[in-house]
Amino acid sequence: MNSPAHSRSVETGSIAGGVMSLNRLIDPMRVFVRASGAYMWDETGKRYIDYHAAFAPYLLGHGDKDVDEAVIASIRRSESLMGAGTTPWEHEIADLLVESVPYLEQVQLTNSGTEAVAFSIRLARAATGRNDVVFIQGGYNGWMDSVAFNLMDPASTFNSHRGGEEHSLRPISAGMHASTPQGAHAVEFNDREAMQSLVETGQIAAVIVEPVLQNIGIVKPQPGYLEFLRQLCTEHGTILVFDEVKTGFRHALGGYQSICQIAPDLSVFGKAAANGYPLGVVGGKAKYMAYCCHPDTARRVLIAGTYNAHPFVVAAATATVRKLKERGEEIYTHLERLGEQMESGLRALFAKQDYPTTIVRVGSAFVVYFMDHEPICWSDIARHNDAERDVRYRKALIEKGVFHFPVTTKQGSISFAHTQADIDETLEITERVLEQLN
Ligand SMILES: Cc1ncc(COP(=O)(O)O)c(C=O)c1O
């Protein structure tokens, strides 16, 4: 399928920066025109088995019939955005979320994970009367000023870091207010010492952490780390926020919190919650969520948005969560089976190579690190992962019709729409790629 209109917009550059999210920049640039199930197609008609999944929301696959039909039915019933009062549908999805995720007592909906994280920070500041926030080096919690720091810093920027230390902050964007870094702190995942020395000051409003650090592949919490965070935050009156934008729904209907059985004070969801439709969820303990209706208006935390809980997105989320609830066993078993097939296939292929690799997987999320051990944090990856070979590997796969995002460590995501045959085909292509990758 050739589309001169698409090509023209890229060539003339009417889009500032050429892409509508700078995180989508790829080299070479491609124009995508369609996606269905496990596949997507570019404007030349080339088909890719898709493991990027638009940075992971497509847990059920692109264009899941049940989700799309729910959206179409909502449109046909004229469930338009009315922007006043409430609707029955938003109560339905709120109930479903609270029933499904163990540590959600109440929720609010936003249009993106970024907005949801921003709201969680406001709630934490209002509830604690403190300003400071700790987040994880190498993680990504959205692009707003309060957390837009230290994304995948190169090893040269923290050569003196030996654990137990806080990283200096490096904004990931120009144009942030000069005073913004005040009150933000970055520490390495799994670094208890560094976290403890910050939280013990009694000045930390919130610790924001992905329970599995998935911005940089799959970095698992070491045994006891999440329990340690829970205890530390409780002792010092700090709000523990689980950023489950990536882990939520992908690993279990109840989020990773249902697997690790650690109760965050607040948690944030997005991505797979509506299978690709734009949704963010903030939820948690009612005593914190209640700050959005605090009787003292000076202490009330604002949440707003013309499009919050848009009925079409709510219809998508309701259909997604309901499907995960009703067919969860079948869906998560399928995802685990394909994940296992992918992991063992990749292990066998990479075992024949003469450079070190480590395959890490949790359920349907996987990554190949070009290093000799499973990483525990970003500085471990920055120091040991062969990022240059990683990117060459990804680009060679893309050339042959397997789409992994061509940036080092980016997570692979298998969907319910993938089949055993897709994994077989992926592994055959991978074998051919490895024959030429040195
Ligand atoms: C862990 C995590 N938190 C927050 C976000 C921000 O979500 P959104 O892109 O929907 O604003 C992302 C996006 O990749 C994410 O991976």
Side-chain angles (χ1 to χ4, degrees), residues 244-307:
E244 292 232 45
V245 168
K246 266 194 166 165
T247 55
F249 302 98
R250 177 155 292 278
H251 300 316
L253 171 65
Y256 197 76
Q257 57 195 264
S258 70
I259 296 173
C260 66
Q261 296 285 317
I262 305 293
D265 298 303
L266 295 172
S267 38
V268 178
F269 296 81
K271 302 214 187 227
N275 200 54
Y277 287 86
L279 180 79
V281 179
V282 189
K285 292 185 178 155
K287 66 176 175 182
Y288 300 127
M289 296 304 291
Y291 273 85
C292 53
C293 54
H294 200 288
D296 174 356
T297 51
R299 300 193 63 194
R300 194 170 292 171
V301 177
L302 177 66
I303 182 156
T306 300
Y307 298 109

Side-chain angles (χ1 to χ4, degrees), residues 21 23 54-56 111-117 139-144 147 208-210 212-215 243-247 268-271 278-280 410-411:
S21 158
N23 291 344
F55 291 106
N111 305 291
S112 67
T114 297
E115 289 170 66
V117 173
Y140 178 70
N141 308 103
W143 61 282
M144 70 286 194
V147 293
I208 299 174
V209 64
E210 282 185 274
V212 180
L213 183 53
Q214 290 189 199
N215 181 52
D243 182 341
E244 292 232 45
V245 168
K246 266 194 166 165
T247 55
V268 178
F269 296 81
K271 302 214 187 227
L279 180 79
K410 287 294 145 188
Q411 170 198 316

Side-chain angles (χ1 to χ4, degrees), residues 20 28 40 81 88 137 147 158 181 217 227 260 287 373:
M20 290 300 194
M40 57 184 189
L81 179 70
Q137 177 81 34
V147 293
F158 47 81
E227 288 81 352
C260 66
K287 66 176 175 182
H373 60 277

